[in-house]
Amino acid sequence: MDAMVHAAGLSGGAGAEKSLQCAVDIDTSTAPPAKQFDLFRTWYQGVADTELMQERSHSFPAHETVWDLGTLAVMFLELPGSGYRCRWRHLKNPSVDNWYLSLPLSKGRLPGSWQVVRTTLQSFAEPYECVMENDALLAVFLPRDLPFIQSSRIEIREESKRLLADYMLLLHRSFSDLRAVDVSHIATATTNLLAACVSPSHDRITEAKRVIDAVIAERAAKIIAQSLNDQSLASDRLCRELGVSRSRLYRIFEPAGGVSNYIRHKRLLKTRDILSDSLDGRPISAIAGDWGFTDPSAYSRMFRKEFGITPKEARVEGWQGAQATSSQQISQPDSRAHTLSSLLLRNSFGP
């Protein structure tokens, strides 16, 4: 198999500011239709065996991406879904003994949305077998020696399963927003959340909810940034896109003075940046109006309260101190590796 595997870019320095790249990105389209399931089987060589029990056609379209978080790895596997039933079985002597949290998924009603079918925690070192006919699979792979996992038989309460499912879906949707420098924080947060769910207590569950709220806040911030000049941007829209209640959204944004205050602050910052641009000589009222501030007097008062100077003063200061800046593009080298099992081996025993 010839799979392109990109360097995850986990080193420090300027490279750490780069967007996090997936470590494995492979799909079965590189093989003829009749050979696609055989290629799919090789992805898990050394840890598990798969057997095709039912197929709708003579092809097996599948796409796998894996994100390397150091001691952890997160996999998203798109499967052909209904009509393709296959058996997953652990090998008797696997090459790795990682734990993994598995979330089979079905397609949601909205495009690109997913619903968790069930949540299970397994170890490659223990016998396990299941039949899959899902649209996708989301899984996080963990080291065997985590201190909070001391038994081969672990039960997770239903409340904790829902917390884990919410977090994993949010984490998967957030990968495109992460930087390499975020990896250690995400790995720690994910490990702590799992500890809270496997060894539940009131304090642990409270901390787990804080982790999920932090991920929701990051996603909300991105939606706001992308739609900042959209006048329809409001709490109701954020609740729909994030899948959270109004009260929960308000609680998350309480440190910023609420959702509306956060959006207003971001829009004021945007107008301040534009006012500082000596190439933009439009009237201040026109710039303010582009970002939802239709009353010039109210805009001026809000601006002064936020920044301590008037919009006109901000324009003068910005034009006087304008300097050209340049950014240096840093390229990430590509490297060739293998598959998920190779990544787990590398993380277990070093490069």
Side-chain angles (χ1 to χ4, degrees):
M1 177 181 57
D2 186 18
M4 284 300 298
V5 182
H6 305 287
L10 305 186
S11 58
E17 294 301 318
K18 294 290 289 182
S19 296
L20 177 64
Q21 302 295 312
C22 62
V24 178
D25 188 348
I26 50 180
D27 64 73
T28 58
S29 64
T30 58
K35 297 291 185 182
Q36 288 180 357
F37 185 77
D38 292 334
L39 175 58
F40 174 75
R41 292 185 67 193
T42 66
W43 296 354
Y44 311 104
Q45 189 172 4
V47 293
D49 184 37
T50 56
E51 175 189 356
L52 189 57
M53 304 167 62
Q54 177 186 348
E55 59 179 337
R56 188 169 56 196
S57 67
H58 293 295
S59 64
F60 192 85
H63 180 202
E64 179 189 272
T65 51
V66 181
W67 303 84
D68 184 6
L69 303 182
T71 57
L72 309 181
V74 177
M75 179 192 75
F76 183 73
L77 173 64
E78 295 181 77
L79 293 163
S82 178
Y84 295 82
R85 185 179 298 117
C86 59
R87 177 181 287 113
W88 167 274
R89 181 190 298 115
H90 288 175
L91 299 180
K92 289 185 178 180
N93 297 298
S95 56
V96 296
D97 59 358
N98 295 66
W99 289 92
Y100 65 97
L101 183 76
S102 173
L103 291 84
L105 306 173
S106 61
K107 291 180 180 177
R109 286 179 290 182
L110 297 176
S113 65
W114 300 98
Q115 293 181 338
V116 176
V117 177
R118 62 181 178 276
T119 304
T120 60
L121 182 64
Q122 307 293 338
S123 167
F124 283 123
E126 302 294 332
Y128 178 69
E129 181 178 317
C130 69
V131 175
M132 298 186 298
E133 195 176 3
N134 304 105
D135 296 311
L137 177 70
L138 181 60
V140 56
F141 298 85
L142 311 103
R144 178 75 182 184
D145 58 354
L146 287 175
F148 59 85
I149 302 179
Q150 301 295 332
S151 170
S152 61
R153 302 295 178 188
I154 297 175
E155 296 294 331
I156 305 177
R157 297 191 306 177
E158 289 303 316
E159 178 191 6
S160 297
K161 287 182 179 180
R162 289 192 293 271
L163 278 173
L164 289 170
D166 287 345
Y167 174 76
M168 290 305 302
L169 288 173
L170 286 164
L171 179 60
H172 173 252
R173 290 196 294 264
S174 302
F175 274 130
S176 60
D177 305 328
L178 295 179
R179 301 166 299 162
V181 73
D182 298 323
V183 164
S184 61
H185 305 297
I186 294 296
T188 298
T190 305
T191 302
N192 290 341
L193 176 60
L194 284 161
C197 293
V198 171
S199 307
S201 68
H202 180 269
D203 291 341
R204 285 182 180 271
I205 294 297
T206 299
E207 181 59 32
K209 290 179 179 178
R210 288 197 192 102
V211 172
I212 294 178
D213 285 351
V215 178
I216 294 174
E218 286 291 330
R219 281 190 51 74
K222 184 185 180 186
I223 293 172
I224 291 170
Q226 291 174 336
S227 309
L228 202 54
N229 64 343
D230 186 343
Q231 299 307 308
S232 69
L233 179 62
S235 300
D236 290 344
R237 175 178 164 187
L238 287 172
C239 290
R240 288 195 304 270
E241 295 195 24
L242 295 168
V244 300
S245 66
R246 180 188 291 266
S247 60
R248 187 173 187 184
L249 185 68
Y250 281 161
R251 186 176 69 250
I252 291 171
F253 276 88
E254 186 175 0
V259 180
S260 297
N261 189 67
Y262 178 85
I263 294 173
R264 182 171 58 251
H265 172 70
K266 290 296 182 181
R267 285 174 171 165
L268 287 170
L269 284 173
K270 194 69 177 180
T271 64
R272 188 186 68 176
D273 291 342
I274 296 172
L275 289 170
S276 298
D277 184 0
S278 59
L279 299 178
D280 194 331
R282 290 179 296 156
I284 292 175
S285 59
I287 294 172
D290 284 347
W291 297 93
F293 302 105
T294 55
D295 184 335
S297 298
Y299 167 69
S300 183
R301 288 195 299 272
M302 286 186 287
F303 193 98
R304 183 162 193 163
K305 181 178 180 181
E306 193 78 19
F307 304 117
I309 56 176
T310 66
K312 184 176 181 180
E313 291 168 339
R315 167 165 272 181
V316 171
E317 287 185 6
W319 286 18
Q320 289 177 343
Q323 295 180 349
T325 59
S326 61
S327 59
Q328 181 180 5
Q329 296 293 328
I330 303 173
S331 60
Q332 293 217 39
D334 285 344
S335 63
R336 291 191 178 271
H338 299 290
T339 54
L340 171 67
S341 55
S342 298
L343 177 64
L344 296 179
L345 277 170
R346 188 196 71 191
N347 288 351
S348 297
F349 303 108

